[in-house]
Amino acid sequence: MNTKQLLAILPVKQLVGQLPEEITDLTADSRAISAGGMFVCIEGFTVDGHNYVKQAEEAGARVIVASKPIKVDSERIAVIYVDNTSRAISLLASVWCEYPSKKMTMIGVTGTNGKTSVSNIIHGILMGAGERSAVSGTIGFNLDGVLYETENTTADVLTTQKMIRQAVEEGCDTMTMEVSSHGLVEGRLAGTEFDIAIFMNLTHDHLDFHGTMESYGNAKGLLFAQLGQDLEKRKVAVLNADDPWHSKMKEMTSYPAFTFGIHSDAMFRATDIDLRTDGTTFTLDTPEGNYTVEMRMIGEFSVSNALAAITALYAKGLAIPDIIEPLRYLAPIKGRMERVETDLPLTIYVDYAHSADAIEKAIAAVLPYKPAQSKLIFIIGTGGNRDRKKRPVMAEKASAADYVILTTDDPRDEPYDSITSELASGMTHDQFACIGDREAAVRHAIEVADAGDIIIFAGKGHEDFQIIGSTKYPHSDASIALEEAEKKFGKGLIGK
Ligand SMILES: CC(=O)N[C@H]1[C@@H](OP(=O)(O)OP(=O)(O)OC[C@H]2O[C@@H](n3ccc(=O)[nH]c3=O)[C@H](O)[C@@H]2O)O[C@H](CO)[C@@H](O)[C@@H]1O[C@H](C)C(=O)N[C@@H](C)C(=O)N[C@H](CCC(=O)O)C(=O)O
Ligand SMILES: Nc1ncnc2c1ncn2[C@@H]1O[C@H](COP(=O)(O)OP(=O)(O)OP(=O)(O)O)[C@@H](O)[C@H]1O
């Protein structure tokens, strides 16, 4: 790209050296720079990008954007000094990618729980309806059926713009993004113009980062505030009327709000809900009449997620029958109360619940169907070096199961005992075991299981690793469980 065109947007404090005519690449990662590129030094939580100038120089960077004095070979490299490099990369990213979000319908989904589920339901319905669609979030960046790995739920600002541009180039009509509170606060969505913003819920999580629920709620509110004020644009807030925080989100925007709910009066409401172990049926009350919805996902929380997706797609302009028909065939979302296919005398689910509310909802999804003499065994862990206040609250909710195994979920540098004992302090009964080593915890679940029991392995969901120290080790709850179950119950497993 022409350098002057790229830099026109930037408030430059000082330029040292000679700018090249063209820039071949833009990055904030010295490990990813290519010859002729521009490297922006970002001060992160862990390291300072200004310390990687030498690597960028060696890799062929031609321009460096910095906010602190740096030393380079000024014959070869131009340095642009700005006040704030994080702000600079946001501005540069939008110009570099040519404001791609304006060229598609952009849907943002926020909330403590349900972001991955809702965004993938929307994507699945659109794909089922024959549209080209992209979705980004915890599971990765899915571009019209091809999955790319991502580091964060909401990627950094440059990666975000590059993903949206790629979706535009691939001819996608819609991109749905999971919007985390971290992403909003850190400005990762700068330059992303959303058309539809969805709010799911706000419950205890991430208080290590946000401090209070109020500040956490305000962070989520940014998605709605950032819809803007240009009333000539057709933008819609889609809000969960069952969550009290929805009125706060409504206050954050002047665009119309479409509501959905199960327990509250809402524009899109689910009634006559039939929750089963193999799927769910409900009546959908809408401004355009009533419809019967059938889907393969289980639990009341999935009804809420489906309502959010239906309401958003209606706001986008789809006819209701065209939304609910593909929904009927949609496979359950990976790692979200996903039943492991086996011919064992056990029912096994893999789930991603790692907040108190999600644990409560996951258990409630199966408890009513537990055979009379059987147990519900629930395995839950928390991450090390992260929000510690949520541990006892999570265990309190897990106590709804008959037998609970308290373990770790990416212990990082924290000792196992510190995690499991803080979890144990919230248990309301004594039918539990603390087993910090997650593999041993999974094996223990099978050891204590009898024919007819239900086991939920919670917290890992789609993830296939466990982070110990700073190393990612391969780990699959389902594979370990099936291997152990094969020893105990014999052969004939169909599962993964
Ligand atoms: C606390 C936090 O937000 N951390 C994010 C942040 O990392 P950081 O500030 O530590 O980055 P850093 O390692 O200090 O690097 C600073 C700069 O130096 C550069 N660098 C670094 C090393 C090098 O060799 N060369 C180099 O140029 C980096 O590219 C970067 O530009 O910037 C990184 C790049 O964008 C993110 O991947 C990282 O997310 C980490 C992995 C993380 O765990 N984040 C969590 C808290 C988070 O954001 N979670 C939410 C989901 C929450 C939910 O469950 O709802 C999310 O959206 O993912
Ligand atoms: N609407 C909901 N309300 C409460 N719990 C939910 C809801 N949807 C899903 N869950 C529970 O939360 C877990 C995580 O769901 P999902 O991945 O969709 O949420 P998320 O917001 O993307 O989570 P994360 O922010 O950690 O990526 C699920 O495995 C399920 O147990």
Side-chain angles (χ1 to χ4, degrees), residues 162-430:
K162 285 183 176 175
M163 286 192 300
I164 304 173
R165 180 179 60 185
Q166 202 182 341
V168 170
E169 286 168 357
E170 294 285 328
C172 292
D173 306 306
T174 308
M175 175 147 169
T176 310
M177 288 181 59
E178 286 186 50
V179 176
S180 69
S181 50
H182 299 76
L184 284 161
V185 168
E186 290 175 20
R188 299 180 202 162
L189 280 318
T192 302
E193 279 260 351
F194 286 105
D195 301 282
I196 298 167
I198 305 176
F199 170 71
M200 293 307 298
N201 45 53
L202 191 80
T203 60
H204 184 140
D205 208 354
H206 306 307
L207 294 190
D208 54 337
F209 186 84
H210 296 291
T212 62
M213 283 302 283
E214 201 192 354
S215 129
Y216 181 28
N218 287 337
K220 296 267 182 222
L222 288 173
L223 176 63
F224 300 90
Q226 287 172 8
L227 280 175
Q229 295 295 332
D230 181 355
L231 293 178
E232 283 184 357
K233 288 192 175 137
R234 201 182 164 279
K235 297 190 168 201
V236 179
V238 171
L239 307 176
N240 181 3
D242 290 337
D243 189 290
W245 281 87
H246 88 276
S247 22
K248 170 95 178 167
M249 303 305 152
K250 191 165 188 286
E251 281 169 15
M252 305 294 274
T253 174
S254 44
Y255 288 109
F258 289 8
T259 54
F260 65 90
I262 300 170
H263 304 288
S264 320
D265 197 17
M267 263 174 88
F268 287 76
R269 188 164 184 183
T271 55
D272 305 322
I273 302 173
D274 176 22
L275 298 168
R276 302 180 307 276
T277 50
D278 63 344
T280 306
T281 308
F282 62 90
T283 302
L284 175 70
D285 299 346
T286 81
E288 297 188 2
N290 294 354
Y291 299 81
T292 301
V293 176
E294 279 176 42
M295 57 182 200
R296 290 169 59 192
M297 284 159 280
I298 65 162
E300 192 182 274
F301 68 81
S302 298
V303 176
S304 197
N305 295 341
L307 285 173
I310 293 168
T311 311
L313 290 171
Y314 176 81
K316 173 176 152 65
L318 270 73
I320 295 169
D322 295 342
I323 303 171
I324 60 179
E325 185 57 18
L327 176 60
R328 175 199 293 257
Y329 303 104
L330 206 62
I333 310 299
K334 194 164 171 46
R336 273 68 183 166
M337 285 310 282
E338 190 184 11
R339 192 166 167 165
V340 180
E341 293 299 325
T342 80
D343 62 1
L344 285 167
L346 301 173
T347 308
I348 299 178
Y349 294 95
V350 171
D351 187 53
Y352 196 48
H354 52 269
S355 71
D357 185 49
I359 290 171
E360 185 176 17
K361 302 276 171 26
I363 292 179
V366 296
L367 208 51
Y369 312 104
K370 187 179 63 122
Q373 303 304 321
S374 306
K375 303 190 285 301
L376 170 61
I377 302 169
F378 192 78
I379 290 87
I380 185 65
T382 65
N385 316 116
R386 292 281 192 280
D387 191 353
R388 296 171 66 164
K389 284 192 210 138
K390 72 176 185 175
R391 292 174 184 169
V393 204
M394 286 170 66
E396 188 189 326
K397 296 296 182 195
S399 305
D402 301 293
Y403 188 74
V404 180
I405 303 170
L406 303 171
T407 183
T408 55
D409 183 349
D410 300 337
R412 300 188 179 84
D413 297 318
E414 196 174 336
Y416 289 168
D417 286 356
S418 139
I419 296 173
T420 53
S421 62
E422 285 183 15
L423 278 164
S425 68
M427 286 299 297
T428 61
H429 60 67
D430 61 4

Side-chain angles (χ1 to χ4, degrees), residues 27-32 39-53 55 111-112 115 138 151-157 159 178-184 186 188 205-206 208-209 216 220 352 354 386 412:
T27 179
D29 189 343
S30 63
R31 294 158 293 194
F39 173 63
V40 184
C41 309
I42 307 282
E43 273 183 75
F45 289 92
T46 318
V47 297
D48 185 347
H50 291 87
N51 297 333
Y52 296 92
V53 163
Q55 282 89 328
T112 308
K115 296 184 294 295
T138 313
E151 173 74 24
N152 288 92
T153 295
T154 302
D156 65 87
V157 69
T159 307
E178 286 186 50
V179 176
S180 69
S181 50
H182 299 76
L184 284 161
E186 290 175 20
R188 299 180 202 162
D205 208 354
H206 306 307
D208 54 337
F209 186 84
Y216 181 28
K220 296 267 182 222
Y352 196 48
H354 52 269
R386 292 281 192 280
R412 300 188 179 84

Side-chain angles (χ1 to χ4, degrees), residues 75-95:
E75 293 288 300
R76 277 196 314 118
I77 297 176
V79 181
I80 296 169
Y81 287 103
V82 295
D83 278 329
N84 181 332
T85 48
S86 295
R87 175 89 187 118
I89 189 94
S90 300
L91 296 168
L92 294 170
S94 284
V95 181

